[in-house]
Amino acid sequence: DTEVTQTPKHLVMGMTNKKSLKCEQHMGHRAMYWYKQKAKKPPELMFVYSYEKLSINESVPSRFSPECPNSSLLNLHLHALQPEDSALYLCASSQDPPIGVSNQPQHFGDGTRLSIL
Amino acid sequence: GEDVEQSLFLSVREGDSSVINCTYTDSSSTYLYWYKQEPGAGLQLLTYIFSNMDMKQDQRLTVLLNKKDKHLSLRIADTQTGDSAIYFCAEMAPRSNTGKLIFGQGTTLQVKP
C-alpha cells in the first residue's frame, strides 16, 4: 500500500475543461514532485516543491499549474489541455529535497490516469 | 551527460532467478535505485544502493554495483508470478541537485508458471 494518495484515480476531460489532480502524504515529507508518464515509458519530472515552494519547473506548459497549499498536499490544476497530455500523472514525495550526496528516495502514489478527449 | 540504459524485456520461469541489468553514464552518481511498477499502479521503491557499496541484499533481492563499469544489476531469487512487472533503475546525480531522477527505459519481467 502506498503512503502517497492520489485522487482521482481516473479522469476524463475535454480540452476546454478545468480540473485538478490532488496528492496527499502524511509522512512529514518536505519535498513533493509531479511526474508525467506515457505508456511503456519512464516517468518524466514536471515540478518539484521544496518546503512548500516551487523549486523546479521542467519547462512545463502553463496549462499545467501546480499548487502546494500545505506541507501534506500538492495539487495540479489543469486547463485547456491537449490530447497529447493524456498520460498517467504521478505524485511523489521525499523526506527532504535532495542536496548534495544526501539519499532522498522518492515514494510514489498510484497516479491519476488522465484522458483528454 | 546523464543516461541510463536497460534491456527492455526478460522472461523467466517461476522459481528461477531473474537478473535485470542497468548501465549508467554519470560517474558522479551517488545513489542508484530500483523501482517496480505493476500494471495500473505507481512506482514502488524496491531498494537502493550508495555508490561506495558493491552489494546490497534484502530478502530475495540482491543489488550488485560495478562502479568501474557503471553497471548495476538486480537479482530476484526464486522469482514468483507476482514479480511480473516493469522494473526501472534510476540514478540520482549530485550535479542535478534538483531531485531529478534519471530513469532507464524499464525492463518488463515476464514470469511464466
Side-chain angles (χ1 to χ4, degrees):
Chain A
D1 288 337
T2 180
E3 295 179 81
V4 177
T5 304
Q6 291 187 245
T7 56
K9 291 193 183 303
H10 302 274
L11 180 60
V12 179
M13 59 186 286
M15 289 190 282
T16 58
N17 292 157
K18 286 186 182 180
K19 296 284 185 184
S20 297
L21 308 185
K22 296 186 183 302
C23 174
E24 191 168 2
Q25 57 87 13
H26 293 289
M27 296 179 282
H29 287 181
R30 289 166 281 200
M32 296 185 77
Y33 311 77
W34 279 115
Y35 286 84
K36 174 184 178 180
Q37 186 181 25
K38 300 287 270 186
K40 309 289 187 187
K41 296 292 185 184
E44 300 172 7
L45 183 67
M46 300 174 72
F47 302 104
V48 180
Y49 270 81
S50 302
Y51 299 98
E52 302 171 45
K53 294 193 186 308
L54 182 65
S55 58
I56 299 293
N57 177 340
E58 288 282 304
S59 303
V60 179
S62 59
R63 58 186 184 268
F64 294 91
S65 175
E67 179 199 18
C68 190
N70 60 55
S71 59
S72 301
L73 293 174
L74 185 66
N75 298 323
L76 186 63
H77 302 299
L78 315 172
H79 175 53
L81 295 196
Q82 304 298 308
E84 61 265 28
D85 296 323
S86 297
L88 181 68
Y89 287 84
L90 294 164
C91 174
S93 69
S94 63
Q95 181 67 44
D96 288 299
I99 298 173
V101 297
S102 69
N103 177 29
Q104 298 298 336
Q106 295 177 23
H107 300 265
F108 287 80
D110 281 336
T112 294
R113 189 158 299 282
L114 177 65
S115 298
I116 306 300
L117 301 179
Chain B
E2 299 164 335
D3 194 19
V4 178
E5 293 188 1
Q6 302 177 238
S7 53
L8 294 181
F9 186 78
L10 176 66
S11 181
V12 300
R13 291 258 175 228
E14 191 174 19
D16 288 349
S17 291
S18 307
V19 179
I20 302 171
N21 294 302
C22 174
T23 57
Y24 60 98
T25 55
D26 192 336
S27 58
S28 64
S29 292
T30 55
Y31 286 94
L32 296 136
Y33 303 90
W34 283 104
Y35 284 90
K36 174 185 180 183
Q37 187 172 33
E38 298 182 39
L43 274 68
Q44 174 193 353
L45 178 65
L46 286 179
T47 187
Y48 58 87
I49 189 166
F50 186 47
S51 57
N52 69 352
M53 299 169 66
D54 298 324
M55 185 183 84
K56 181 178 181 182
Q57 188 155 0
D58 184 0
Q59 299 182 336
R60 292 192 297 123
L61 304 179
T62 302
V63 178
L64 294 178
L65 176 61
N66 181 327
K67 197 173 180 184
K68 175 176 170 288
D69 294 337
K70 301 190 189 71
H71 182 265
L72 181 73
S73 68
L74 175 69
R75 178 177 181 269
I76 306 173
D78 186 25
T79 312
Q80 302 297 305
T81 53
D83 294 324
S84 293
I86 300 176
Y87 290 81
F88 291 99
C89 69
E91 63 172 348
M92 177 71 74
R95 266 202 293 270
S96 72
N97 226 22
T98 62
K100 186 173 183 177
L101 286 171
I102 309 299
F103 286 94
Q105 290 301 305
T107 299
T108 298
L109 175 64
Q110 179 189 69
V111 183
K112 297 179 181 177

